[in-house]
């Protein structure tokens, strides 16, 4: 769990995951 | 005139030009306080991101990361989650009835003028004090660029801010925010490649940072409970601070809000991640600074060539000004609309209201400088409020606002108890609690207990107060 592989790059990946999830939610919300 | 001064003079000219243009676009109170409620996703999202990003982002955040390491960066994730919560849960009902101020919403939902005055009073005191901290940063920048004493710089920045905010109201704030967001982005974008060139690129940076500070890429440098309560503070502070909520009223409709907030999240994440990388560069290049707050000024002066250093200082200035102008609108409307026109002189004529509105902003804008110059601003209580601004706002407003539109049984007495109790508990924790847990946790829990407990033992709200927010569910 320590070291730049997870701690540094993981934050960028997590930001990307949240943005994609928001986009998916937005499309779902507007199709209902 | 040095190159640095030219960068700043050009920057101020653009801001004034936008302010002048906004004067012609402002026709009534709705334009003045919520930009007419018709903003699109780009301007609405840009003003959210610019208001969110303050001088604290460029100086304080990089300072914390300089001392605590990269694990602090993970707290950033709470920001997009809080905006998402705001759009998905709060906004659909909150924006059904547009008001001009947040205390006006409090009056509608909690059926009382007194509780509106209470909310406005809390906003007014906390915001004026918080503006003061941002103005201090402005004084230091003016001293660096123009060589004037910091007190002259503070007065100068206050004058610049007041001129365009008083003249153009929320319209001026929104359009200058969009411009200042561009300046912030440029500052961060230019600085990172130049800093990376000095440390053999990104791979070199990661290796060098770890050898300079072995704990930088671990979760052992900061207690987990502190990281979690910091994240809670960012989350709660993101969903219910008045300067954020008022932007939901300023944007056109829910479809626009969903897109605008996505744009704001992208910009906030990008600016913060770039600043985080600069913090790593500071760890490598300047390993022995006495405080983390010096990390950004060192990067701006020692890493960047003079003109780009000025762009970086302009970026910090833009972050400061785009936050303060929004706070001026919130505090000015609390004073002139929610306190003066609501409680003191309800029969004021429309023509005089126009002047009362503008005078309110002048008064709240002049108070921070007056506090600083008179020396009251150095006091301990003032420093407390600055430190606790987000926590105080979260403890006072999350439950009355979010609880008010999710729970129809919430009463006026419950909301008032939650506001007063939340503020008191936040202060109390700062005085007697452990520093490993952010005060917002205590303030939020006490506020929640009072909100639910007092609401349950008082008379249920009248149907007229809750109908606008719950009608489709009956």
């Amino acid at each position: 769990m320590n070291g730049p592989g997870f701690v540094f790059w993981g934050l960028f990946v997590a930001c990307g995951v949240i943005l994609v999830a928001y986009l998916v939610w937005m499309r779902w919300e507007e199709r209902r | 005139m040095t190159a640095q001064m030219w960068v700043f003079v050009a920057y101020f000219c653009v801001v004034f030009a936008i302010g002048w243009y906004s004067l012609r676009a402002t026709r009534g109170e709705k334009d003045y306080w919520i930009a007419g409620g018709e903003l699109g996703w780009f301007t609405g999202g840009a003003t959210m991101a610019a208001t969110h990003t303050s001088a604290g982002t460029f100086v304080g955040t990089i300072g914390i990361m300089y001392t605590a390491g990269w694990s602090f960066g993970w707290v950033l994730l709470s920001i997009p989650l809080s905006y998402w919560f705001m759009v998905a849960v709060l906004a659909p009902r909150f924006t059904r009835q547009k008001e001009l101020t947040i205390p006006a919403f409090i009056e509608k939902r909690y059926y009382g003028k007194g509780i509106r005055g209470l909310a406005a009073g809390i906003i007014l005191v906390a915001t004026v004090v918080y503006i003061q901290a941002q103005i201090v940063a402005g004084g230091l920048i003016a001293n660096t660029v123009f060589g004037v004493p910091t007190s002259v710089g503070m007065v100068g920045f206050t004058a610049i801010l007041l001129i365009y905010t008083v003249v153009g109201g929320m319209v001026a704030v929104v359009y200058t925010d969009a411009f200042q967001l561009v300046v912030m982005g440029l500052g961060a974008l230019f600085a990172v490649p130049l800093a990376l060139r000095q440390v053999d690129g990104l791979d070199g940076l990661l290796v060098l940072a770890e050898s300079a500070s072995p704990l930088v890429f671990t979760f052992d440098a900061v207690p987990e409970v502190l990281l979690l309560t910091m994240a809670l503070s960012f989350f709660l502070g993101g969903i219910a601070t008045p300067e954020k909520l008022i932007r939901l009223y300023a944007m056109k409709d829910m479809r626009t809000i969903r897109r605008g907030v996505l744009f704001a999240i992208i910009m906030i994440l990008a600016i913060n991640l770039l600043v985080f990388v600069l913090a790593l560069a500071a760890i490598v290049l300047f390993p022995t600074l006495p405080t983390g707050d010096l990390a950004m000024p060192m990067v701006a002066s020692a890493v960047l060539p003079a003109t780009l250093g000025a762009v970086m200082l302009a970026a910090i200035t833009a972050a400061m000004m785009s936050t303060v102008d929004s706070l001026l609108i919130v505090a000015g409307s609390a004073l002139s609309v929610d306190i003066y026109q609501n409680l003191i002189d309800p029969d004021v004529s429309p023509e005089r209201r126009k002047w009362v509105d503008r005078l309110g902003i002048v008064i709240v804008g002049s108070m921070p400088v007056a506090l600083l110059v008179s020396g009251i601003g150095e006091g301990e209580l003032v420093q407390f409020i600055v430190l606790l601004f987000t926590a105080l706002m979260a403890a006072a407003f999350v439950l009355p606002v979010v609880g008010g539109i999710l729970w129809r049984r919430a009463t006026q007495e419950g909301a008032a108890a939650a506001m007063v109790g939340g503020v008191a508990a936040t202060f109390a924790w700062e005085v007697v609690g452990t520093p490993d847990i952010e005060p917002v946790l205590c303030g939020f829990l006490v506020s929640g207990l009072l909100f639910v407990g007092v609401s349950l033992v008082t008379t249920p709200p009248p149907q007229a107060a809750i109908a606008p927010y719950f009608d489709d569910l009956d």
Side-chain angles (χ1 to χ4, degrees):
Chain A
M1 286 289 277
N2 284 332
F6 179 76
V7 178
F8 180 81
W9 292 109
L11 179 58
F12 289 85
V13 172
C15 288
V17 167
I18 289 178
L19 287 176
V20 170
Y22 184 97
L23 265 172
V24 170
W25 167 80
M26 192 165 87
R27 289 185 67 94
W28 172 79
E29 181 79 8
E30 293 182 358
R31 278 190 180 170
R32 290 198 295 173
Chain B
M1 291 277 282
T2 64
Q4 285 200 336
M5 290 183 196
W6 278 113
V7 168
F8 268 76
V9 169
Y11 162 73
F12 291 145
C13 285
V14 174
V15 167
F16 281 140
I18 295 171
W20 173 246
Y21 164 81
S22 308
L23 172 63
R24 294 160 45 187
T26 300
R27 291 192 183 80
E29 276 209 309
K30 194 174 177 187
D31 288 335
Y32 197 72
W33 293 125
I34 59 169
E38 290 288 324
L39 292 181
W41 67 267
F42 177 79
T43 43
T47 185
M48 275 199 165
T51 300
H52 189 115
T53 310
S54 70
T57 309
F58 280 91
V59 181
T61 303
I62 190 173
I64 295 176
M65 187 164 265
Y66 177 87
T67 44
W70 188 266
S71 64
F72 167 70
W74 284 74
V75 172
L76 176 68
L77 294 179
S78 61
I79 293 173
L81 294 176
S82 87
Y83 277 90
W84 192 350
F85 178 89
M86 185 167 81
V87 176
V89 178
L90 183 63
R93 291 187 193 179
F94 183 74
T95 55
R96 277 190 193 171
Q97 265 204 326
K98 286 201 178 184
E99 311 289 346
L100 295 183
T101 67
I102 300 308
F105 160 81
I106 296 281
E107 176 183 14
K108 275 275 170 53
R109 173 61 184 82
Y110 295 110
Y111 45 94
K113 284 183 179 301
I115 191 167
R116 177 177 182 173
L118 173 68
I122 293 173
I123 289 174
L124 188 61
V125 173
T127 307
V128 163
V129 170
Y130 188 66
I131 289 174
Q132 179 191 305
Q134 301 275 327
I135 292 288
V136 170
L140 294 172
I141 291 170
N143 174 260
T144 307
V145 176
F146 295 102
V148 296
T150 50
S151 57
V152 174
M154 293 192 287
V155 173
F157 267 117
T158 301
I160 291 171
L161 278 159
L162 279 177
I163 289 170
Y164 77 83
T165 307
V166 169
V167 163
M170 188 65 147
V171 178
V173 168
V174 166
Y175 286 103
T176 52
D177 274 6
F179 166 65
Q180 312 213 56
L181 187 67
V182 172
V183 176
M184 282 179 247
L186 286 178
L189 266 180
F190 282 144
V192 168
L194 283 166
L196 287 180
R197 230 169 52 181
Q198 302 216 358
V199 292
D200 308 328
L202 194 52
D203 295 335
L205 176 67
L206 297 182
V207 173
L208 290 169
E210 208 161 18
S211 59
S213 162
L215 287 179
V216 66
F217 295 122
T218 68
F219 282 110
D220 307 332
V222 184
E224 273 90 354
V225 65
L226 183 59
L227 284 180
L228 282 172
T229 51
M230 277 174 143
L232 179 73
S233 172
F234 279 118
F235 182 86
L236 295 174
I239 51 181
T241 44
E243 73 271 21
K244 305 260 171 54
L245 291 172
I246 200 74
R247 278 162 174 67
L248 295 177
Y249 287 150
M251 288 158 85
K252 196 159 67 179
D253 52 28
M254 274 311 295
R255 191 184 153 82
T256 309
I257 288 174
R258 281 190 286 266
R259 280 161 181 67
V261 166
L262 175 61
F263 176 53
I265 292 173
I266 291 172
M267 293 306 293
I268 292 169
L269 289 178
I271 289 175
N272 273 281
L273 288 170
L274 288 169
V275 167
F276 289 175
V277 171
L278 288 178
L280 289 183
I283 290 175
V284 172
L285 297 169
F286 318 108
T288 54
L289 295 177
T291 85
D293 284 351
L294 287 170
M296 193 60 167
M298 286 300 288
V299 169
S301 59
V303 175
L304 304 176
T307 312
L308 272 182
V311 173
M312 194 71 225
L313 287 173
I316 301 172
T317 307
M320 181 273 285
M321 285 176 49
S322 60
T323 300
V324 173
D325 60 17
S326 307
L327 295 172
L328 285 174
I329 291 281
V330 165
S333 63
L335 180 61
S336 56
V337 179
D338 298 314
I339 293 177
Y340 183 80
Q341 294 172 30
N342 170 47
L343 294 174
I344 299 173
D345 184 5
D347 303 324
V348 59
S349 71
E351 189 46 42
R352 265 192 65 195
R353 278 170 82 128
K354 196 179 155 179
W355 292 105
V356 170
D357 285 350
R358 284 152 182 76
L359 185 61
I361 294 183
V362 172
I363 292 173
V364 297
S366 313
M367 272 156 49
V369 170
L371 286 171
L372 283 164
V373 173
S374 65
I376 300 173
E378 308 293 322
E380 226 170 81
L381 179 64
V382 166
Q383 297 305 319
F384 256 4
I385 296 181
V386 170
L387 199 62
L388 295 174
F389 176 73
T390 305
L392 288 171
M393 285 293 162
F397 291 112
V398 168
L399 281 150
V401 172
V402 178
I405 56 144
L406 293 182
W407 187 40
R408 60 182 68 203
R409 185 69 179 73
T411 69
Q412 185 185 96
E413 295 83 358
M419 281 191 236
V420 175
V423 167
T426 305
F427 273 124
W429 186 268
E430 180 65 26
V431 176
V432 299
T434 161
D436 280 352
I437 296 177
E438 290 272 315
V440 69
L441 182 65
C442 177
F444 181 64
L445 291 176
V446 169
S447 177
L449 285 172
L450 287 168
F451 184 68
V452 174
V454 175
S455 284
L456 286 175
V457 298
T458 46
T459 323
Q463 194 55 37
I466 52 177
Y469 309 102
F470 293 93
D471 250 4
D472 61 330
L473 306 167
D474 293 332

